Amino acid sequence: MATYLMNNMRLLKTLTATLMIVLAPLAHAETKWLDKIVAIVDDDIILASELDTRIDSITANIERSGKEGPPPEQLHKEVLDLLILENIQLQLANRYGVRIEDEELNAAVARIAAGNNLTLAQFQQALTASGASYLAVREQIAKEMILQRVQMGNVSQRIQISDQEIQSFLKSEEGRQRTAPEYHFSHVLIPVDSDASSAQRQQAEARAKALSAKMRAGKNIDNANDAISISDLGWRKSTELPSLFIDVAAKMNDLDVSDPIQSASGFHIIQLLESRGVKQMVKQTRASHILLKPSAIRSEAQTVALAKELRQRILNGESFRDLAKEYSEDIGSAQEGGDLGWTTPGQLVPEFQKAMDETAPGEIHQPIASNYGWHVIKVVERRNQDVTKEMRKQIARNIIHERKYADELDIWLRKIRSEAFVDIKI
């Protein structure tokens, strides 16, 4: 839909400009045309009305921010450059066949509305009340989504991140801070005066041990009845925890309650309510499959029949590995006897994942279809795997990628601008 609108907008702009050129000599001397071409960009044009509309929008945003904008001439030039770059990218998107489906666009608009604490209907009403067109806003959102997709597709492939870069980042002070585990603790303090006697301190410790046992048993405690101070420490990275708690926290699992921890101010009890990045456990599955694809010489029905036949032969005692090597059309796994190795939820297509999840180890699922063809799936085994190190590496990779992306995007934009034919008419 977005591409259709974009193509029709271009057609309308071209027709408008053509009519102006053809009819201009016939017009009266005092006639003023409302629009004109300000730039030709490859196979498209930019109209003065587009430039003026964008300048007005940016000027309004600057005024709302309370900041001082650039001089009018500079703003005019910068906005025109921006429109030229956008136009080049939209033409690339059209050549690549980049499309934003209605469902995807509707979801994006709904997210924007929700981000402003509005329902979709309220969002539409707010736009109308401000004098904006809902359809124009949808079109602008679609355009921005297309631009983002084109940029990511072209820029991300230019970014290379080595294992050495990831390791260096993780060892840096920033890396330790950014990837440190996070804890959400509740905290109980049984205070002890600095001049308290040994007997009073022992009494406070006994109370702390009793409260710790009570919490472990799942019983509720409160400030009034237990004469204590309870607080929520909120989410904190391990590097932000009081030094008193760091060693204890590293040994705790979610919902664990600590033994009393002594300090100059009294005895502390902490309960780990939640944690992030401490021990990331995921359920992994090791499976094998045989992939069969319908073709010009084998119909869909024949492919399904062969898949069922192979499953039955395996159930009758034939080797899954041997049949996979002979029949599977998955080049990556066929020579391994169909072995896909250990997979984590989300790695495989949904149809395959669902069938694999509902199959017990050692069993073979009925043939299922996906975009790739028909699969005969055997689940070999399952395990719970700690992927904390991999998660920390992925966080580091994302941070490095984000930093490199801005630089590579700037280089790519300058490249496509230099390669485009641009004729500025003003």
Side-chain angles (χ1 to χ4, degrees):
M1 182 63 166
T3 304
Y4 172 81
L5 288 172
M6 187 169 67
N7 288 337
N8 279 276
M9 282 180 62
R10 287 179 179 152
L11 177 61
L12 180 60
K13 288 194 298 183
T14 305
L15 286 173
T16 301
T18 302
L19 284 170
M20 287 163 50
I21 293 168
V22 171
L23 298 177
L26 304 177
H28 191 271
E30 284 82 42
T31 301
K32 293 184 179 179
W33 292 97
L34 298 178
D35 218 340
K36 65 178 182 178
I37 296 172
V38 294
I40 298 173
V41 183
D42 282 336
D43 300 327
D44 201 2
I45 58 174
I46 296 174
L47 298 175
S49 58
E50 294 177 87
L51 178 60
D52 292 341
T53 298
R54 186 64 67 89
I55 289 174
D56 290 344
S57 175
I58 292 175
T59 301
N61 288 336
I62 293 172
E63 291 174 352
R64 278 194 294 270
S65 70
K67 298 178 181 177
E68 185 177 351
E73 286 186 7
Q74 181 182 341
L75 179 62
H76 188 279
K77 180 182 181 303
E78 290 178 357
V79 174
L80 180 56
D81 287 341
L82 174 64
L83 287 176
I84 289 169
L85 262 181
E86 285 184 1
N87 193 290
I88 295 168
Q89 293 173 82
L90 290 172
Q91 290 188 60
L92 286 174
N94 195 39
R95 289 178 211 146
Y96 298 154
V98 177
R99 292 178 176 81
I100 303 299
E101 301 298 335
D102 280 344
E103 282 186 12
E104 192 177 358
L105 180 56
N106 291 339
V109 175
R111 284 195 299 272
I112 293 171
N116 289 279
N117 297 316
L118 299 172
T119 65
L120 188 57
Q122 290 170 335
F123 182 58
Q124 292 175 356
Q125 291 170 1
L127 289 173
T128 302
S130 67
S133 163
Y134 174 65
L135 290 178
V137 170
R138 272 178 62 89
E139 182 185 326
Q140 182 60 32
I141 294 170
K143 186 198 298 187
E144 290 172 3
M145 291 172 71
I146 290 171
L147 290 173
Q148 184 181 55
R149 191 161 295 179
V150 170
Q151 290 171 0
M152 290 184 67
N154 283 277
V155 176
S156 291
Q157 64 185 358
R158 300 162 64 98
I159 298 173
Q160 302 295 323
I161 301 173
S162 68
D163 289 340
Q164 183 58 48
E165 286 179 282
I166 293 173
Q167 292 301 327
S168 297
F169 179 82
L170 290 172
K171 290 176 183 176
S172 70
E173 181 60 29
E174 182 192 4
R176 287 194 291 271
Q177 290 280 349
R178 297 283 294 271
T179 64
E182 293 180 286
Y183 300 93
H184 181 194
F185 281 111
S186 65
H187 170 244
V188 176
L189 173 64
I190 294 88
V192 178
D193 293 336
S194 57
D195 57 353
S197 65
S198 176
Q200 289 173 319
R201 187 166 288 276
Q202 288 177 358
Q203 185 180 16
E205 183 177 10
R207 282 190 62 222
K209 288 180 178 178
L211 280 170
S212 177
K214 185 176 179 180
M215 292 170 67
R216 283 178 178 147
K219 296 179 181 178
N220 293 328
I221 60 174
D222 59 67
N223 293 22
N225 293 336
D226 294 289
I228 52 171
S229 172
I230 305 175
S231 59
D232 187 331
L233 299 182
W235 281 101
R236 298 192 188 189
K237 288 186 175 292
S238 58
T239 52
E240 300 168 343
L241 288 173
S243 58
L244 189 67
F245 301 156
I246 290 176
D247 291 339
V248 176
K251 300 173 184 176
M252 296 177 71
N253 295 316
D254 289 1
L255 302 181
D256 279 358
V257 177
S258 73
D259 291 326
I261 306 166
Q262 185 175 356
S263 76
S265 58
F267 292 89
H268 307 261
I269 303 168
I270 54 175
Q271 181 174 26
L272 179 55
L273 303 176
E274 302 173 83
S275 62
R276 292 193 289 242
V278 179
K279 197 171 186 181
Q280 299 287 327
M281 303 297 295
V282 297
K283 181 179 284 187
Q284 293 184 325
T285 303
R286 186 175 180 185
S288 298
H289 84 138
I290 299 172
L291 174 65
L292 303 173
K293 302 177 182 179
S295 65
I297 60 174
R298 187 174 64 205
S299 68
E300 185 89 12
Q302 290 171 326
T303 303
V304 175
L306 177 58
K308 289 180 178 179
E309 177 192 330
L310 292 177
R311 178 178 183 271
Q312 189 59 51
R313 287 170 63 180
I314 295 164
L315 293 175
N316 291 342
E318 291 191 51
S319 167
F320 190 106
R321 181 180 181 82
D322 291 345
L323 291 176
K325 283 185 175 182
E326 181 179 353
Y327 288 96
S328 183
E329 296 173 74
D330 178 3
I331 298 173
S333 68
Q335 293 308 306
E336 301 300 322
D339 186 9
L340 295 171
W342 289 102
T343 61
T344 299
Q347 281 186 249
L348 304 173
V349 292
E351 301 89 348
F352 195 109
Q353 184 74 50
K354 181 176 182 296
M356 191 172 66
D357 288 346
E358 61 192 25
T359 304
E363 292 186 356
I364 301 171
H365 199 280
Q366 290 286 349
I368 61 108
S370 77
N371 290 335
Y372 295 98
W374 284 86
H375 308 263
V376 179
I377 304 169
K378 178 182 179 180
V379 172
V380 180
E381 56 183 320
R382 286 197 171 90
R383 70 181 182 187
N384 287 319
Q385 183 72 3
D386 184 357
V387 295
T388 308
K389 288 183 179 179
E390 288 73 16
M391 293 291 289
R392 291 184 71 238
K393 287 181 180 178
Q394 188 58 49
I395 293 171
R397 181 181 295 278
N398 292 342
I399 293 170
I400 296 169
H401 184 279
E402 185 178 341
R403 289 176 179 171
K404 288 189 173 186
Y405 187 89
D407 292 336
E408 289 294 340
L409 176 60
D410 183 60
I411 293 170
W412 179 72
L413 289 174
R414 281 190 274 114
K415 177 178 179 291
I416 62 172
R417 176 66 171 81
S418 66
E419 293 174 349
F421 170 78
V422 178
D423 183 9
I424 296 175
K425 296 294 186 180
I426 54 174

